[in-house]
Amino acid sequence: MRPVLAAALALALAAAPAMAQQRYPSSAGELLVETVASGLENPWGLAFLPDGRMLVTERPGRLRLVGSDGKLSAPISGVPNVVARGQGGLLDVVLDPNFAQNRYLYLSFAEPRANGNGTSVARARLSANGTALEGLSVIFRQMPTIASNMHFGSRLVFDRAGALFVTVGDRYSQRDQAQNPENHLGKVLRIRPEGGAAEGNPKKPGWQPEIWSIGHRNVQGAALHPQTGQLWTAEHGARGGDEINTPKAGLNYGWPVITYGIDYSGVKIGDGTNKSGMEQPLFYWDPSIAPSGAAFYTGDKWPAWKNSLFVGALAGQLLSRLSTDGEKVTGEERLLTNLGERIRDVRQGPDGYLYLLADDSNGKVLRVRPAR
């Protein structure tokens, strides 16, 4: 983090009102969990601005700025219309790599359409005063349109080449289509910031040009490895079979042909756990924890946790720390197991602490820091 920003954020935190705090054990010492902000309705995605403030999406269709003192802005105008039903709504938010110069940001959302809906991605500029989105345009639409309120995905991650990864779900009712490369259901996609397929995509015969990999169920966590730049994803299984994957160009990750889970009814799904031509997960959970946002840790507050992947859990109501060695998961530590919150997103702040979104009708921004 830039020294000026670090100093400014430290001053803001020192001046902020006293916050609710809870303590939890960990392998790196006791953790302090502080409520930075509350009163957010089902917050879904979080992005830090260069000045240390946070952009937070609320699933019903609002985008807000959150100050380090926890103050919520009025809803930012110009947000696209969303389908705020079931798992749908306003979803992820990410800044353009050149945000400081162009003020572009990107939103994923459940878009209302004739005869259904689908995951879409929009680009817009944040106004200089932070109150409005300007020049919004939809740069991607998942096709085909489906009448479903389930499995929209959807995380947004820029890679080191400046292309945008977009994760999209299988829409639940269309799970077999995750194996069909002629559509965008159950895929990881890679597009240009202005829309259209990115250079370097596999572009295999019969594949939609935006597709990076196929055979995914519902990826709601994604992050780049800080050393390799490889995309890592956290994917919802059915009853069991939540997965960590490293999606590679042109590969098939199996859903619903292979899985470590079963249907919610107890019925077997697919052909088992292995099949030629389909990739194995790096790690899986059974029973499910319902993984959502994910972030690699690169800060200096917990040196022993450098390059760990932190994954929030919805049903599990915990924070999972996965230790890694290259492209291997070497262990799991379950943190904040008594927090009692559905953790929707995980981000490392510019101060080196971890920030979580607690998904609830009175949702919160939480900060995790060493209790010392």
Side-chain angles (χ1 to χ4, degrees):
M1 181 173 63
R2 298 188 300 276
V4 172
L5 176 54
L9 191 55
L11 286 172
L13 292 176
M19 299 173 181
Q21 299 178 341
Q22 297 170 284
R23 293 172 180 263
Y24 297 91
S26 84
S27 63
E30 199 171 36
L31 303 177
L32 194 66
V33 178
E34 303 170 318
T35 299
V36 176
S38 58
L40 291 156
E41 187 175 359
N42 299 110
W44 211 96
L46 183 156
F48 279 91
L49 292 176
D51 63 7
R53 292 181 297 169
M54 293 166 269
L55 282 168
V56 177
T57 61
E58 293 176 280
R59 197 159 47 78
R62 292 182 295 272
L63 177 66
R64 295 185 190 268
L65 281 168
V66 181
S68 56
D69 60 357
K71 184 177 179 181
L72 304 183
S73 75
I76 294 170
S77 65
V79 173
N81 293 329
V82 305
V83 175
R85 296 192 300 269
Q87 296 173 357
L90 187 60
L91 304 174
D92 208 8
V93 56
V94 68
L95 302 186
D96 191 277
N98 296 312
F99 177 86
Q101 289 75 43
N102 61 29
R103 298 192 67 79
Y104 275 128
L105 59 81
Y106 302 77
L107 297 167
S108 63
F109 62 105
E111 182 184 43
R113 305 175 188 168
N115 303 314
N117 50 61
T119 301
S120 294
V121 179
R123 178 171 79 164
R125 287 188 180 92
L126 182 65
S127 65
N129 62 8
T131 62
L133 298 184
E134 301 171 341
L136 184 136
S137 63
V138 176
I139 62 169
F140 169 77
R141 287 184 168 94
Q142 180 190 37
M143 297 301 291
T145 295
I146 302 294
S148 170
N149 296 326
M150 303 283 280
H151 292 196
F152 293 92
S154 154
R155 289 294 170 188
L156 304 175
V157 178
F158 274 98
D159 69 11
R160 292 179 177 175
L164 181 63
F165 282 114
V166 181
T167 72
V168 288
D170 64 0
R171 307 309 316 280
Y172 187 72
S173 63
Q174 305 294 313
R175 72 185 190 189
D176 291 342
Q177 293 301 310
Q179 289 293 316
N180 182 357
E182 296 181 356
N183 62 50
H184 298 137
L185 306 180
K187 311 297 192 295
V188 171
L189 311 168
R190 186 170 171 269
I191 63 175
R192 296 178 298 167
E194 65 274 20
E199 291 299 318
N201 281 4
K203 298 180 182 176
K204 297 170 73 169
W207 283 42
Q208 288 295 315
E210 301 89 356
I211 292 176
W212 181 256
S213 58
I214 70 172
H216 300 281
R217 186 173 183 266
N218 192 28
V219 174
Q220 289 191 340
L224 289 190
H225 192 285
Q227 294 177 315
T228 66
Q230 170 64 44
L231 181 71
W232 288 50
T233 58
E235 180 170 341
H236 286 270
R239 189 169 149 191
D242 299 338
E243 296 182 355
I244 296 294
N245 288 300
T246 53
K248 308 248 183 358
L251 297 187
N252 184 341
Y253 289 81
W255 176 258
V257 179
I258 61 171
T259 176
Y260 285 87
I262 58 175
D263 194 76
Y264 297 113
S265 66
V267 173
K268 177 184 174 183
I269 298 173
D271 298 340
T273 58
N274 294 269
K275 190 167 186 176
S276 176
M278 296 182 178
E279 305 303 307
Q280 285 291 298
L282 298 190
F283 182 86
Y284 69 91
W285 288 274
D286 187 13
S288 293
I289 64 167
S292 193
F296 280 98
Y297 187 70
T298 62
D300 59 2
K301 306 303 182 185
W302 297 284
W305 290 354
K306 190 87 79 172
N307 298 326
S308 288
L309 181 67
F310 286 85
V311 182
L314 299 169
Q317 297 189 344
L318 56 87
L319 182 64
S320 173
R321 183 184 70 84
L322 301 177
S323 53
T324 68
D325 180 11
E327 206 162 289
K328 295 179 181 177
V329 174
T330 57
E332 181 190 21
E333 179 180 11
R334 296 193 172 192
L335 304 168
L336 313 185
T337 53
N338 296 320
L339 182 64
E341 298 281 6
R342 288 165 45 88
I343 300 177
R344 173 62 73 180
D345 201 8
V346 183
R347 300 290 176 201
Q348 180 181 312
D351 53 10
Y353 300 135
L354 289 171
Y355 287 75
L356 315 177
L357 290 183
D359 182 359
D360 190 79
S361 58
N362 180 23
K364 305 177 185 71
V365 178
L366 304 174
R367 178 170 55 241
V368 184
R369 63 182 180 88
R372 61 177 184 268

